[in-house]
Amino acid sequence: MRRLLAILLPGLLLLTACGGGEPAAPEPTSQSAGDTAKLDSIKLTENGDKKAPGVEFTQPLEVKEPTVKVVTEGNGDRVKANQIAGISIVALSGKDGSTLEDTFPNDPEELELTDELKKDSPVIYNAFVGAKIGSHLALAVPGAAAAEGAEAQPTQLLVVKVISAKDAPKVLDKPEGETVTPPAGLPTVKENDKGVPEISVEGAAAPTALVSQDLIKGNGPVVKETDTLTVNYVGVALAGGKVFDSSFERGEKATFPLTGVIKGWTQGLAGKTVGSRVLLVIPQDLAYGAEGQGDAKGDLVFVVDILGVK
């Protein structure tokens, strides 16, 4: 989710207990929640997918709990669980109807309708799963109480149009592809009886530059620096070979933007393919520097299984 969702939806994402929801249906339809009568005055004028609709409502609008309902229903297919909904949003002040922000002229925001979202914010999840493409949803976010010496924040009204829906990219359980024999002199990797890669640094020289070596060459999409990856990985210090971090040990895959990790990962994984298992030998200047971070000191070695990208 990009900036507008990150700024305006936390109130809904955090307030998960919300009355008024309809019981789940075998084939879900969008579920209203909260004091939906407060949204009955909303009238929309459709302006297409690239321009925000005209919005009229009785002012001031105030809600005490997250409130959501479909204002106009589209004619497209229903959005399904685990899909990614493409949405555009216009955010308005409930006090006077002034526009706070408008994403309609831009590419749609992406809202992933995952089990995690269902757990953390059933209000949002249940509103979008089952909504038809082309629908407009109204989401009212309660205002914040005033801090001492400050003005209270009014209720915010978000009018959201469901532009599209697509299936989420597949996330693999393990690497899939062609096995590659690495050149001599690098750390060696073997799987234990649980399928977890184990790294031996015996005889491996300190790197003079970043090494990014496929151990398994995947057949999936090519990774870009701007992508968000889902991976399994294990990392050791080249000096001594001690494991300092492992998603395998935690028992859950890691997901992160490739721009938000150490340079050795960003440079070493960009251009690789989904399904690959990659050996990274990273000089300290592309890792955590001379001081390191905990046990991750000096030159580092990782085995990274690239399982998904978005």
Side-chain angles (χ1 to χ4, degrees):
M1 294 188 292
R2 294 197 293 270
R3 186 168 69 92
L4 184 65
L5 288 176
I7 293 173
L8 296 179
L9 292 191
L12 284 166
L13 294 173
L14 294 174
L15 294 170
T16 60
C18 182
E22 301 170 4
E27 293 189 7
T29 57
S30 176
Q31 296 183 29
S32 300
D35 189 1
T36 57
K38 294 286 185 70
L39 305 181
D40 287 348
S41 69
I42 296 175
K43 296 181 180 179
L44 303 181
T45 303
E46 170 67 74
N47 287 318
D49 289 348
K50 300 301 291 184
K51 185 178 180 181
V55 183
E56 298 178 15
F57 62 95
T58 301
Q59 301 163 13
L61 170 66
E62 295 180 356
V63 296
K64 297 185 181 301
E65 60 181 340
T67 300
V68 58
K69 67 177 288 187
V70 173
V71 178
T72 63
E73 187 170 66
N75 297 317
D77 294 334
R78 294 194 184 276
V79 179
K80 299 176 182 177
N82 296 313
Q83 286 191 318
I84 299 174
I87 61 177
S88 291
I89 307 168
V90 60
L92 308 170
S93 167
K95 181 179 180 180
D96 58 17
S98 59
T99 299
L100 303 174
E101 194 155 359
D102 177 7
T103 74
F104 274 81
N106 307 323
D107 292 335
E109 307 268 355
E110 290 192 342
L111 180 63
E112 298 180 56
L113 300 167
T114 61
D115 289 341
E116 182 179 3
L117 181 65
K118 183 178 182 179
K119 176 182 176 182
D120 292 343
S121 182
V123 173
I124 295 292
Y125 179 90
N126 291 332
F128 283 93
V129 172
K132 289 184 177 182
I133 295 172
S135 295
H136 290 87
L137 284 71
L139 292 82
V141 185
E148 186 175 351
E151 185 178 345
Q153 297 297 312
T155 291
Q156 292 181 355
L157 174 64
L158 281 64
V159 175
V160 184
K161 185 172 184 179
V162 183
I163 304 293
S164 63
K166 62 183 180 181
D167 292 335
K170 180 182 178 182
V171 176
L172 303 174
D173 289 324
K174 60 182 181 180
E176 295 180 1
E178 181 180 352
T179 300
V180 178
T181 301
L186 297 178
T188 57
V189 180
K190 293 183 179 180
E191 283 191 0
N192 64 20
D193 57 2
K194 296 180 180 180
V196 176
E198 296 181 338
I199 302 170
S200 172
V201 298
E202 185 176 355
T208 58
L210 174 67
V211 175
S212 178
Q213 173 63 48
D214 286 327
L215 303 178
I216 297 174
K217 174 65 173 176
N219 299 316
V222 175
V223 173
K224 303 185 295 294
E225 279 195 11
T226 54
D227 285 337
T228 293
L229 303 186
T230 297
V231 305
N232 263 327
Y233 68 92
V234 59
V236 307
L238 184 62
K242 180 181 179 180
V243 175
F244 60 82
D245 194 10
S246 172
S247 67
F248 292 97
E249 290 183 3
R250 291 193 296 275
E252 60 181 2
K253 303 177 182 75
T255 299
F256 53 83
L258 196 52
T259 54
V261 291
I262 59 174
K263 292 180 180 179
W265 274 52
T266 306
Q267 297 175 16
L269 297 181
K272 298 298 183 181
T273 51
V274 174
S276 295
R277 169 169 287 176
V278 183
L279 173 68
L280 297 175
V281 186
I282 304 176
Q284 67 178 20
D285 63 323
L286 295 179
Y288 298 106
E291 293 186 2
Q293 182 172 296
D295 291 329
K297 295 180 180 178
D299 303 326
L300 305 179
V301 182
F302 289 90
V303 170
V304 184
D305 294 346
I306 306 174
L307 304 175
V309 64
K310 58 185 177 182

